[in-house]
Amino acid sequence: MATQIFQRQTRVQAAKSDLFEWHGCEGAFERLSPPWERVNVRSRSGTIRNGDTVDLEVKVGPIPVRWRARHQDYVFGEQFCDVQEGGPFRIWKHVHSVSGNGDASILDDAITYQLPLSPLSDLVAGGAIRSKLDRMFTYRHRTTRDDLAAHTRLSGQSLRVGLTGSSGLVGRALAPFLTTGGHHVIPYRRFEETRTDQFWNPESIEDVDAVVHLAGESIDGRWSAAKKQKIARSRIEGTSQLVNQIVRSSSPPRVLVCASAIGYYGNRGDETLIETASKGDGFLSDVCEQWETATRPARDAGIRVVNLRFGVVLSSRGGALARMLPPFRLGAGGRIGSGDQYMSWIAIDDAIGAIHHALRCPDLSGPVNAVSPNPITNLDFTKSLGCVLGRPTI
């Protein structure tokens, strides 16, 4: 039965100790999981030291497969290894190692594996598995390199960050990014929906250096009167209550980064819009204006406030892109209406990068557009997505 070896090495501009310790931080596994891989952590014991375990559920097509790995051969600052104890492979041993001197290091991932029913399965699926590993570790090494570079570029004292919306698309990506950078993230608890008078549990609004406020009712679905009320209330009243609790706390944070949206500008066609542009017309414009105004008491109390006006956040893990992918993969994707309408967008990693920048840059305050510098029409986006997926578009 054939045993296969896959290896990937990448030079990382970081000290060997920093590169190794990054992998042992809370959130490293989440950062290293590619968005196209459907992986859920069912349970975890420890991190990467000898005897620590992780139980995963991996989707192979529509079929969920359990995968249990145990760590061994741990050498501080040098390497760690995970070995499959149960899962889809007959053999799986993954050695993570780092080497180097000074400010540059080599990240080395070496995997020894064997497919079930080998050698027949090697003929049927061997090429696909190797292609899958190549794509996965290209992503993993790039993410490791870029995250370490980002934290080095904006280095400083570790922060205690209060986070609302930690279960949302951006929050799920932001928390592991921050924790692997040495920061401590405290998810802010929200009262149950039955509590109509308050949003936030005040016991959790204490002793933090910064607050990132991302929570808000999803804008998906039909905008009935009741839905519009939820959208507005979650953003305006939710932000107002959070800000009031922050201001009244015994140790208020130094900075509040609050989500907003480019819906502030309304529908302005191909007009170039910067932060000093006037507010647009319509429901979303009014909501965004009041959303940002709700942060004013924090600013008046001397807290630095950044209102990030996000465009459409693109990630295959959720949001607009995740909903578009199924029809586009079937070749049923197409333009909407004339296709001339513009979409200002931002990739998920750039969205969390913008939040990180806002947390770390003391001179930044007020409204900031968090979008790619290249807005795109619906027609051009449709063509681009179809091209990336290798599918026709209507």
Side-chain angles (χ1 to χ4, degrees), residues 17-168:
S17 57
D18 293 339
L19 176 57
F20 183 83
E21 290 172 9
W22 185 91
H23 286 84
C25 289
E26 178 187 353
F29 180 84
E30 286 76 11
R31 288 299 294 159
L32 292 174
S33 297
W36 61 84
E37 293 291 342
R38 293 173 292 172
V39 180
N40 294 317
V41 178
R42 295 179 63 91
S43 65
R44 178 184 289 153
S45 170
T47 54
I48 60 174
R49 294 178 180 270
N50 291 339
D52 294 342
T53 61
V54 59
D55 285 280
L56 308 173
E57 183 179 272
V58 182
K59 288 287 186 68
V60 180
I63 303 170
V65 176
R66 297 289 295 274
W67 189 332
R68 179 180 176 83
R70 181 176 297 276
H71 292 292
Q72 62 183 39
D73 301 336
Y74 177 89
V75 181
F76 178 75
E78 300 285 343
Q79 73 166 38
F80 64 98
C81 173
D82 56 81
V83 176
Q84 177 189 281
E85 290 191 338
F89 290 85
R90 182 185 294 275
I91 296 173
W92 175 279
K93 182 178 181 180
H94 179 186
V95 179
H96 315 247
S97 60
V98 298
S99 60
N101 295 302
D103 295 333
S105 308
I106 299 296
L107 173 61
D108 188 339
D109 282 286
I111 301 170
T112 303
Y113 67 96
Q114 186 179 104
L115 298 176
L117 303 179
S118 178
L120 176 61
S121 56
D122 296 334
L123 296 173
V124 175
I129 294 296
R130 183 162 289 274
S131 177
K132 187 182 183 76
L133 290 173
D134 183 69
R135 185 184 182 205
M136 177 185 294
F137 280 89
T138 297
Y139 174 88
R140 289 173 65 116
H141 282 218
R142 183 178 66 242
T143 297
T144 305
R145 182 195 64 207
D146 292 351
D147 280 14
L148 280 163
H151 289 296
T152 299
R153 186 172 59 252
L154 296 172
S155 60
Q157 178 186 358
S158 295
L159 302 175
R160 287 176 55 84
V161 182
L163 175 63
T164 75
S166 59
S167 62

Side-chain angles (χ1 to χ4, degrees), residues 363-374:
D363 297 330
L364 187 66
S365 63
V368 176
N369 290 337
V371 292
S372 157
N374 303 303

Side-chain angles (χ1 to χ4, degrees), residues 291-312:
W291 193 2
E292 295 179 10
T293 299
T295 64
R296 188 172 296 162
R299 187 178 295 109
D300 294 342
I303 297 169
R304 181 169 66 88
V305 177
V306 181
N307 305 100
L308 286 178
R309 292 173 178 168
F310 284 109
V312 178

Side-chain angles (χ1 to χ4, degrees), residues 149-213:
H151 289 296
T152 299
R153 186 172 59 252
L154 296 172
S155 60
Q157 178 186 358
S158 295
L159 302 175
R160 287 176 55 84
V161 182
L163 175 63
T164 75
S166 59
S167 62
L169 176 64
V170 178
R172 292 198 309 271
L174 177 65
F177 171 81
L178 291 176
T179 54
T180 50
H183 306 292
H184 183 59
V185 175
I186 303 98
Y188 279 176
R189 291 177 296 152
R190 185 171 176 173
F191 281 120
E192 298 295 332
E193 290 293 330
T194 52
R195 289 290 301 269
T196 57
D197 57 331
Q198 278 188 302
F199 282 84
W200 310 107
N201 186 335
E203 295 177 0
S204 62
I205 316 289
E206 286 293 341
D207 193 27
V208 292
D209 302 301
V211 171
V212 178
H213 180 37

